[in-house]
Amino acid sequence: MPDACWWCIGAESSTTGRSTAIRSSTVFSAVEDCLKKATERLSAAPPPPINSVPTGGVMLYTAASPSFCADVHKGQYRPGTPVILYTCHGRANQRFRLDPGSGRVYVAANANLCVDAIPGGLALVDCRQLGRTWVLNRGAKEIRSSDGQCWDVPSGRFQNGARLQPWPCHRKAPQQFSDKL
């Protein structure tokens, strides 16, 4: 029984400190109401954890090795979190949205976090501070910035944890990404 339901059982007078007589029908009615409210609160389904379900968006596969996808490292949705290569699993930290109108590539789970280049590679940034815009060119299978840089797998090493980087576009395998298998 929730603690809040014990308020009427064994009640003492605040002025005398002596037990007071309470009619049992009043006690049972109050306890019944309290249990009903507590049950309603507990039966409401809690929201699922952010990484447990897909949240729309697309997965960005490497064309040369489609078992690898762009991934928000450890599902940490905050500015500075690296965008890495990781075995595709389809959870929320591998879901992105591409807005061709604004050139934003952002995390499907948080439209305020965009992918941009920072020292060290690609990472999440506050979209209001976005330095580059990106376009997925499906024909060339590249994600190209407005200044001629493309998403790139460093040294062509397709392995878990490789941090994606911007690199001058060359259209070879390490820069080929697709949103479709």
Side-chain angles (χ1 to χ4, degrees), residues 109-128:
N110 186 337
N112 296 314
L113 292 172
C114 289
V115 178
D116 201 357
I118 64 170
L122 296 180
L124 299 182
V125 299
D126 183 317
C127 290
R128 295 171 296 187

Side-chain angles (χ1 to χ4, degrees), residues 13-100:
S13 167
S14 60
T15 57
T16 66
R18 288 188 251 151
S19 293
T20 58
I22 300 174
R23 288 187 300 163
S24 61
S25 63
T26 304
V27 171
F28 291 122
S29 177
V31 170
E32 187 176 57
D33 286 346
C34 185
L35 286 174
K36 181 179 175 188
K37 288 176 184 172
T39 302
E40 288 170 359
R41 279 194 307 264
L42 293 174
S43 65
I50 197 163
N51 287 333
S52 68
V53 294
T55 56
V58 296
M59 293 171 62
L60 298 170
Y61 303 90
T62 58
S65 186
S67 63
F68 288 103
C69 289
D71 181 287
V72 175
H73 186 58
K74 295 185 179 179
Q76 297 176 354
Y77 299 105
R78 62 177 179 247
T81 300
V83 176
I84 63 169
L85 203 60
Y86 203 82
T87 303
C88 300
H89 51 65
R91 290 190 290 272
N93 62 317
Q94 291 187 347
R95 302 274 177 168
F96 297 86
R97 292 191 189 273
L98 301 103
D99 182 354

